[in-house]
């Protein structure tokens, strides 16, 4: 009887320990539970969402975020079912998506980034010598009016004074961009260039489109095959291949520098007329809207966004702090002109004409 009683007691004790462990696990799981939200994002934000620190900060606020990438303008062809949000790289495609999905305004815009042109030292120096840019150390300003005139005249690098010193500078002078019909940066490049070509006025109708279309076509046609994303274009530039002048987001350069990576002969040219890429969340569900608002309001997520090169909306303190050691390349306070962006309808038509469609 004593042996039977001992066995029963042991079983009860083991059962009690197991129950306690399971209860503890359930409590722990409840305390760290997160809502999983799914979204489609521009490729330039992939590293931000994959950053373990960002994952941790989101989890602390109750979110697990699953993403896949797409060109911003290509998002309009996606079925929103199964997504909580879309996160294109600027307001124009976001507005189009919001109208298509019936999403109410305002749309969360947690951060932004201006477009810049990255160049190697030799190319930047040649542009300076020929009055196309001002350059000081690793940073400069591209004269868009002078550049567009050179492009319209189909000038080559060999036409430019000082280019003979650099064997890699050959062929037509142009800025390499992504496809404007599918990618945000390529479309915004046309927005800035057409504004300059239109006398500093946003292209707003057929007459403006007709007037600027030949030059926009020239800017795109000389490039041949274009990279599908700014990520691919920037990686090629950093590895030393591709065109001497490449249009990218400032955030990509800033993220590389804050991560401790360097391109020894890097020069960052800010077009004197540029476009700010407002990264805009299009919420498909309430969870998607809450996430978009959180990205712009949570101090830790704003700090991490700045570390990835984005400029949080509002006060510039996070970006200034994150880039304090890199002012040789980065313009902390933007002094260039921001061009207005045409409506989605006009920008689509401009991109189609530029691609010869």
């Amino acid at each position: 009887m004593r042996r039977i009683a001992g066995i029963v007691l042991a079983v009860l004790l083991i059962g009690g320990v197991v129950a306690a462990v399971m209860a503890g696990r359930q409590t722990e799981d409840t305390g760290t539970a997160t809502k999983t939200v799914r979204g489609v994002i521009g490729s330039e934000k992939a590293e931000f969402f994959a950053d373990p620190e960002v994952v941790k900060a989101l989890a602390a606020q109750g979110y697990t975020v699953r993403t896949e990438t797409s060109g911003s303008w290509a998002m309009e062809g996606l079925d929103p079912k199964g997504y909580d949000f879309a996160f294109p790289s600027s307001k124009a495609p976001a507005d189009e998506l919001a109208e298509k999905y019936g999403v109410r305004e305002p749309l969360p815009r947690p951060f932004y980034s201006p477009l810049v042109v990255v160049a190697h030292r030799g190319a930047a120096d040649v542009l300076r010598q020929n009055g196309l840019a001002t350059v000081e150390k690793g940073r400069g300003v591209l004269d868009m009016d002078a550049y567009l005139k050179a492009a319209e005249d189909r000038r080559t690098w060999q036409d430019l004074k000082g280019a003979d010193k650099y064997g890699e500078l050959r062929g037509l002078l142009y800025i390499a961009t992504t496809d404007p019909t599918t990618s945000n940066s390529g479309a915004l490049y046309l927005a800035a260039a057409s504004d300059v070509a239109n006398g500093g006025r946003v292209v707003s109708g057929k007459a403006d489109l007709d007037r600027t279309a030949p030059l926009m076509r020239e800017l795109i046609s000389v490039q041949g095959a274009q990279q599908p994303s700014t990520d691919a274009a920037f990686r090629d530039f950093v590895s030393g291949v591709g065109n001497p002048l490449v249009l990218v987001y400032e955030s990509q350069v800033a993220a590389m520098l804050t991560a401790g990576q360097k391109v020894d002969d890097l020069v960052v040219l800010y077009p004197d007329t540029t476009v700010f890429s407002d990264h805009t969340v299009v919420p498909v569900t309430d969870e998607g809207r809450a996430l978009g608002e959180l990205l712009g309001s949570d101090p830790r997520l704003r700090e991490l966004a700045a570390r990835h090169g984005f400029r949080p909306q509002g006060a510039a303190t996070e970006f200034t702090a994150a880039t304090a050691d890199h002012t040789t390349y980065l313009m902390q306070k933007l002094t260039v002109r921001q061009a207005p962006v045409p409506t989605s309808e006009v920008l689509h038509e401009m991109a189609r004409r530029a691609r010869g469609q």
Side-chain angles (χ1 to χ4, degrees):
M1 290 298 293
R2 284 197 301 270
R3 182 177 297 175
I4 293 172
I7 292 171
V8 170
L9 181 60
V11 169
L12 290 173
L13 287 172
I14 292 171
V17 170
V18 171
V21 170
M22 291 301 295
R25 285 181 178 175
Q26 289 172 357
T27 301
E28 181 181 353
D29 289 345
T30 302
T32 60
T34 60
K35 297 182 287 290
T36 298
V37 293
R38 292 176 171 81
V40 56
I41 63 172
S43 62
E44 71 290 328
K45 293 182 284 289
E47 290 189 6
F48 170 75
F49 281 105
D51 183 343
E53 291 297 314
V54 173
V55 172
K56 182 179 177 182
L58 287 168
Q61 297 297 326
Y63 290 93
T64 297
V65 180
R66 307 292 185 207
T67 63
E68 59 185 74
T69 61
S70 168
S72 293
W73 286 107
M75 289 181 189
E76 65 176 317
L78 298 175
D79 183 349
K81 186 176 180 180
Y83 295 119
D84 294 287
F85 68 96
F87 202 173
S89 305
S90 71
K91 188 174 182 296
D95 285 344
E96 190 163 291
L97 287 170
E99 183 177 357
K100 178 181 178 180
Y101 299 163
V103 176
R104 64 178 172 84
E105 298 280 353
L107 304 179
R109 291 185 295 144
F111 41 73
Y112 69 98
S113 182
L115 291 170
V116 298
V117 176
V118 288
H120 294 292
R121 170 66 61 182
D125 187 54
V126 171
L127 294 179
R128 180 193 61 77
Q129 290 183 60
N130 290 269
L132 296 171
T134 58
V135 180
E136 183 178 351
K137 296 183 179 179
R139 191 180 77 196
V141 175
L142 178 70
D143 185 327
M144 281 291 285
D145 191 60
Y147 163 70
L148 291 177
K149 187 177 187 307
E152 191 171 29
D153 293 342
R154 295 183 63 82
R155 297 186 73 183
T156 67
W157 284 103
Q158 294 95 307
D159 294 331
L160 302 182
K161 179 176 61 178
D164 56 337
K165 292 169 52 179
Y166 305 99
E168 71 276 15
L169 299 181
R170 292 287 184 271
L172 286 168
L173 171 68
Y174 67 87
I175 295 170
T177 73
T178 55
D179 182 346
T181 62
T182 60
S183 173
N184 179 67
S185 59
L188 292 186
Y189 171 64
L190 294 182
S194 64
D195 181 271
V196 175
N198 200 39
R201 300 184 303 274
V202 64
V203 172
S204 59
K206 185 177 184 302
D208 291 342
L209 279 168
D210 291 343
R211 183 166 45 252
T212 57
L215 179 54
M216 299 304 104
R217 172 67 175 149
E218 181 68 26
L219 295 176
I220 299 303
S221 64
V222 297
Q223 298 185 44
Q226 294 174 290
Q227 290 283 17
S229 70
T230 51
D231 270 1
F234 189 54
R235 282 197 302 270
D236 280 355
F237 174 84
V238 170
S239 65
V241 301
N243 197 62
L245 304 174
V246 182
L247 186 84
V248 299
Y249 295 108
E250 179 198 54
S251 59
Q252 294 171 285
V253 182
M256 178 189 72
L257 294 172
T258 56
Q261 304 173 43
K262 291 183 179 180
V263 177
D264 290 337
D265 63 346
L266 171 69
V267 177
V268 181
L269 299 174
Y270 288 77
D272 59 7
T273 296
T274 190
V275 173
F276 294 178
S277 185
D278 286 309
H279 295 266
T280 305
V281 177
V282 182
V284 179
T285 65
D286 289 342
E287 289 79 7
R289 180 173 292 276
L291 173 67
E293 292 171 349
L294 181 69
L295 291 171
S297 63
D298 182 78
R300 177 57 175 161
L301 288 169
R302 287 174 60 91
E303 177 189 334
L304 290 168
R307 187 187 298 177
H308 280 268
F310 301 108
R311 293 175 181 256
Q313 297 286 356
T317 53
E318 295 96 346
F319 185 82
T320 301
T323 59
D325 295 333
H326 308 296
T327 54
T328 298
Y329 303 101
L330 301 174
M331 189 183 288
Q332 288 194 312
K333 183 177 180 181
L334 293 170
T335 58
V336 292
R337 174 176 174 264
Q338 180 185 5
V341 178
T343 64
S344 295
E345 182 181 0
V346 170
L347 199 54
H348 268 307
E349 179 62 20
M350 186 185 298
R352 285 192 290 268
R353 292 193 188 195
R355 289 286 294 171
Q357 297 176 2

